[in-house]
Short mmCIF file of all heavy atoms in Angstrom, two decimals:
data_model
loop_
_atom_site.label_atom_id
_atom_site.label_comp_id
_atom_site.label_asym_id
_atom_site.label_seq_id
_atom_site.Cartn_x
_atom_site.Cartn_y
_atom_site.Cartn_z
N HIS A 255 -0.34 -7.73 -5.53
CA HIS A 255 0.79 -7.05 -4.85
C HIS A 255 1.70 -6.32 -5.83
O HIS A 255 2.89 -6.10 -5.55
CB HIS A 255 1.58 -8.06 -4.02
CG HIS A 255 0.73 -8.69 -2.96
ND1 HIS A 255 0.22 -7.98 -1.91
CD2 HIS A 255 0.24 -9.94 -2.85
CE1 HIS A 255 -0.54 -8.77 -1.17
NE2 HIS A 255 -0.55 -9.96 -1.71
N ALA A 256 1.16 -5.96 -7.00
CA ALA A 256 1.95 -5.21 -7.99
C ALA A 256 1.77 -3.72 -7.76
O ALA A 256 0.73 -3.29 -7.27
CB ALA A 256 1.50 -5.57 -9.40
N PRO A 257 2.76 -2.93 -8.13
CA PRO A 257 2.56 -1.47 -8.09
C PRO A 257 1.53 -1.07 -9.15
O PRO A 257 1.30 -1.79 -10.12
CB PRO A 257 3.93 -0.90 -8.45
CG PRO A 257 4.89 -2.02 -8.40
CD PRO A 257 4.10 -3.28 -8.60
N LEU A 258 0.91 0.07 -8.95
CA LEU A 258 0.02 0.65 -9.96
C LEU A 258 0.86 1.44 -10.95
O LEU A 258 1.55 2.38 -10.58
CB LEU A 258 -1.01 1.57 -9.30
CG LEU A 258 -1.93 2.34 -10.26
CD1 LEU A 258 -2.80 1.40 -11.07
CD2 LEU A 258 -2.81 3.32 -9.47
N HIS A 259 0.83 1.01 -12.21
CA HIS A 259 1.50 1.75 -13.27
C HIS A 259 0.80 1.36 -14.57
O HIS A 259 -0.15 0.56 -14.52
CB HIS A 259 3.02 1.49 -13.28
CG HIS A 259 3.44 0.06 -13.47
ND1 HIS A 259 4.24 -0.36 -14.49
CD2 HIS A 259 3.16 -1.05 -12.76
CE1 HIS A 259 4.45 -1.66 -14.40
NE2 HIS A 259 3.79 -2.10 -13.35
N PRO A 260 1.15 1.92 -15.71
CA PRO A 260 0.35 1.68 -16.91
C PRO A 260 0.08 0.21 -17.19
O PRO A 260 -1.01 -0.16 -17.66
CB PRO A 260 1.16 2.35 -18.01
CG PRO A 260 1.84 3.50 -17.31
CD PRO A 260 2.18 2.97 -15.94
N GLN A 261 1.03 -0.70 -16.88
CA GLN A 261 0.82 -2.13 -17.19
C GLN A 261 -0.23 -2.77 -16.28
O GLN A 261 -0.79 -3.82 -16.64
CB GLN A 261 2.12 -2.90 -16.98
CG GLN A 261 3.14 -2.71 -18.05
CD GLN A 261 4.44 -3.44 -17.71
OE1 GLN A 261 4.54 -4.16 -16.72
NE2 GLN A 261 5.43 -3.26 -18.56
N THR A 262 -0.47 -2.24 -15.12
CA THR A 262 -1.38 -2.90 -14.18
C THR A 262 -2.70 -2.14 -14.02
O THR A 262 -3.62 -2.67 -13.39
CB THR A 262 -0.72 -3.06 -12.77
OG1 THR A 262 -0.31 -1.76 -12.31
CG2 THR A 262 0.46 -3.99 -12.82
N TYR A 263 -2.81 -0.95 -14.59
CA TYR A 263 -4.02 -0.14 -14.47
C TYR A 263 -5.22 -0.90 -15.05
O TYR A 263 -5.18 -1.36 -16.19
CB TYR A 263 -3.82 1.18 -15.22
CG TYR A 263 -5.02 2.09 -15.22
CD1 TYR A 263 -5.39 2.80 -14.09
CD2 TYR A 263 -5.78 2.24 -16.38
CE1 TYR A 263 -6.49 3.63 -14.09
CE2 TYR A 263 -6.89 3.07 -16.40
CZ TYR A 263 -7.24 3.78 -15.24
OH TYR A 263 -8.34 4.59 -15.26
N HIS A 264 -6.25 -1.12 -14.23
CA HIS A 264 -7.50 -1.80 -14.66
C HIS A 264 -7.26 -3.20 -15.22
O HIS A 264 -7.99 -3.65 -16.09
CB HIS A 264 -8.27 -0.93 -15.66
CG HIS A 264 -9.01 0.18 -14.97
ND1 HIS A 264 -9.89 1.02 -15.62
CD2 HIS A 264 -9.04 0.57 -13.67
CE1 HIS A 264 -10.40 1.88 -14.75
NE2 HIS A 264 -9.89 1.65 -13.56
N LEU A 265 -6.23 -3.86 -14.73
CA LEU A 265 -5.91 -5.22 -15.20
C LEU A 265 -7.06 -6.19 -14.90
O LEU A 265 -7.46 -6.99 -15.74
CB LEU A 265 -4.61 -5.67 -14.52
CG LEU A 265 -4.09 -7.06 -14.84
CD1 LEU A 265 -3.77 -7.19 -16.32
CD2 LEU A 265 -2.82 -7.33 -14.01
N PHE A 266 -7.60 -6.10 -13.67
CA PHE A 266 -8.70 -6.99 -13.30
C PHE A 266 -10.02 -6.34 -13.70
O PHE A 266 -10.66 -5.64 -12.94
CB PHE A 266 -8.66 -7.33 -11.80
CG PHE A 266 -7.67 -8.42 -11.49
CD1 PHE A 266 -6.32 -8.14 -11.40
CD2 PHE A 266 -8.10 -9.73 -11.33
CE1 PHE A 266 -5.40 -9.14 -11.13
CE2 PHE A 266 -7.18 -10.75 -11.08
CZ PHE A 266 -5.83 -10.46 -10.97
N ASP A 267 -10.41 -6.58 -14.98
CA ASP A 267 -11.68 -6.07 -15.49
C ASP A 267 -12.66 -7.24 -15.63
O ASP A 267 -12.33 -8.38 -15.25
CB ASP A 267 -11.46 -5.34 -16.82
CG ASP A 267 -10.86 -6.26 -17.89
OD1 ASP A 267 -10.71 -7.49 -17.66
OD2 ASP A 267 -10.52 -5.75 -18.97
N ALA A 268 -13.84 -6.95 -16.20
CA ALA A 268 -14.87 -8.00 -16.29
C ALA A 268 -14.35 -9.22 -17.05
O ALA A 268 -14.66 -10.37 -16.71
CB ALA A 268 -16.11 -7.44 -16.96
N GLY A 269 -13.52 -8.98 -18.07
CA GLY A 269 -13.00 -10.09 -18.86
C GLY A 269 -12.12 -11.01 -18.05
O GLY A 269 -12.30 -12.25 -18.04
N LEU A 270 -11.15 -10.42 -17.34
CA LEU A 270 -10.22 -11.27 -16.56
C LEU A 270 -10.96 -11.92 -15.39
O LEU A 270 -10.76 -13.12 -15.11
CB LEU A 270 -9.06 -10.41 -16.05
CG LEU A 270 -7.92 -11.22 -15.40
CD1 LEU A 270 -7.30 -12.19 -16.40
CD2 LEU A 270 -6.83 -10.29 -14.85
N ILE A 271 -11.84 -11.18 -14.73
CA ILE A 271 -12.59 -11.76 -13.60
C ILE A 271 -13.48 -12.88 -14.11
O ILE A 271 -13.62 -13.93 -13.48
CB ILE A 271 -13.42 -10.67 -12.88
CG1 ILE A 271 -12.48 -9.62 -12.27
CG2 ILE A 271 -14.31 -11.28 -11.80
CD1 ILE A 271 -13.20 -8.35 -11.79
N GLY A 272 -14.06 -12.68 -15.32
CA GLY A 272 -14.92 -13.70 -15.89
C GLY A 272 -14.19 -14.98 -16.25
O GLY A 272 -14.81 -16.04 -16.37
N SER A 273 -12.85 -14.90 -16.41
CA SER A 273 -12.09 -16.11 -16.74
C SER A 273 -11.71 -16.90 -15.48
O SER A 273 -11.17 -18.01 -15.58
CB SER A 273 -10.81 -15.72 -17.50
OG SER A 273 -9.86 -15.15 -16.59
N MET A 274 -12.00 -16.33 -14.30
CA MET A 274 -11.62 -17.01 -13.05
C MET A 274 -12.67 -18.07 -12.71
O MET A 274 -13.81 -18.01 -13.17
CB MET A 274 -11.50 -16.00 -11.91
CG MET A 274 -10.42 -14.96 -12.13
SD MET A 274 -10.32 -13.71 -10.83
CE MET A 274 -9.53 -14.64 -9.51
#
Side-chain angles (χ1 to χ4, degrees):
H255 300 294
L258 174 62
H259 60 121
Q261 285 176 4
T262 56
Y263 178 75
H264 282 186
L265 179 61
F266 279 80
D267 60 6
L270 189 61
I271 297 168
S273 75
M274 298 177 75

